[in-house]
Amino acid sequence: MYKGLRYAGFFAAVLLPTACSYGAPEHLRNRPAASPAPAAPVTPASAEQRAGFERWTEGFRARARAKGISDGVLSRALASASYDPDVIRLDRRQAEFARPIWEYLDSAVSDTRLRNGRNALAQHGRALSAIEARYGVPKEVVAAVWGMETSYGVNRGKKQIISSLATLAYDGRRGAFFEEQLIAALKILQAGDTSPENMRGSWAGAMGHTQFMPTSYLSYAVDFTGDGRRDIWSDDPTDALASAANYLNKMGWKSGQPWAVEVTVPAGFREAGKSIKKSPAQWQAQGVSPVRGGRIADYGPASILMPAGANGPALMIFDNFRVISRYNNADSYVMGIGLLSDQLAGRGGLQKAWPRSDRALTESERKEIQSRLMQKGFYQGEIDGVTGSGTMDAVRAWQSSVGQTPDGYVNEALLKKLRG
């Protein structure tokens, strides 16, 4: 769980789609985006890298001692730590193409993931029901997080966390952040919750069934089994599932509130976006209606999200959407959790079809969109090809200025209009 960057979890090792909002998941703040398992053979560290890493390690020991880490813990944890070039390669990896949101959701809510999720609910139903009773988060939502993060515990990661974090702290783009995570990992070891050998996870330092970063573990992990340890690493997922529920609870989960309701919007609808909030009654007075008919109960303030533009599904999203986004701030991830949990609970999926004829833009095309928006005075962020909330807000502002539906959707048609 990694906050700040688009550092999604280890969930199913998939890339996040272009039409997503990247931002600041609270407990996952700065957690690196999941990347596919390395296809190339691991490159050994060079003599220069090893020497530099050893010098850094000696300096780090003094800083760790100042943070309260004992010499015994340091010696044991760092004895087997080594520089891992593969971690740096994954950290700097940038995909040229991003997946459209529908392809992402096809994977997130696949038949296999649903089947495995139902099996997981059956196998761990008693524990999940007890977790729901204590924290108020539906067991299907907790199971969906588990399924998205590690495919129900199958893909928990095999990297040694101490080596990965030390490598990123020494040679990464966010050294201070990863050193903070490394200190937190050492505090976990010092508390006796696990051993350095057992502390394994993703290349970016996310751990266990629900992929907590070390600082998140210290703040939100719980000992639900009562054995005296907050064990998110073992084959028994109970503590990890309870920790995820505890996190969502602490972030403000509202019992009985849906994460979203699929709706239809009237022609020429111009109020899509998370910044515009109204009651369900106010939205319905403007012609917004649930696709399955009837009326939407007053679950509190809601926004209208159109993740694939005016030609795709529209969602009325509530506070629980925001709560899930604190786990991972990509809209696609939140939708994956929401749709997966809905279907695990026996509710249906989306009714309106996605505009599957739209192709994914290349990184250079996404950068061009940002550059053109900047030239027109609508975008102030980095030209990085990442379609985050800043880019989508800029798109909406430009669309409004030229009389188009301000849905924030980034596609080839938008690029052509910006060029025109």
Side-chain angles (χ1 to χ4, degrees), residues 127 134 222-231 236-240 242:
R134 181 175 300 182
V222 297
D223 171 23
F224 197 79
T225 61
D227 65 357
R229 294 185 302 133
R230 300 182 290 175
D231 188 357
D236 179 358
T238 304
D239 281 357

Side-chain angles (χ1 to χ4, degrees), residues 375-386:
Q375 291 167 6
K376 296 176 185 294
F378 291 94
Y379 180 65
Q380 308 299 324
E382 183 179 353
I383 306 299
D384 56 7
V386 177

Side-chain angles (χ1 to χ4, degrees), residues 205-220:
M207 309 177 297
H209 289 265
T210 51
Q211 295 291 278
F212 271 50
M213 290 297 284
T215 51
S216 300
Y217 174 96
L218 291 177
S219 296
Y220 301 106

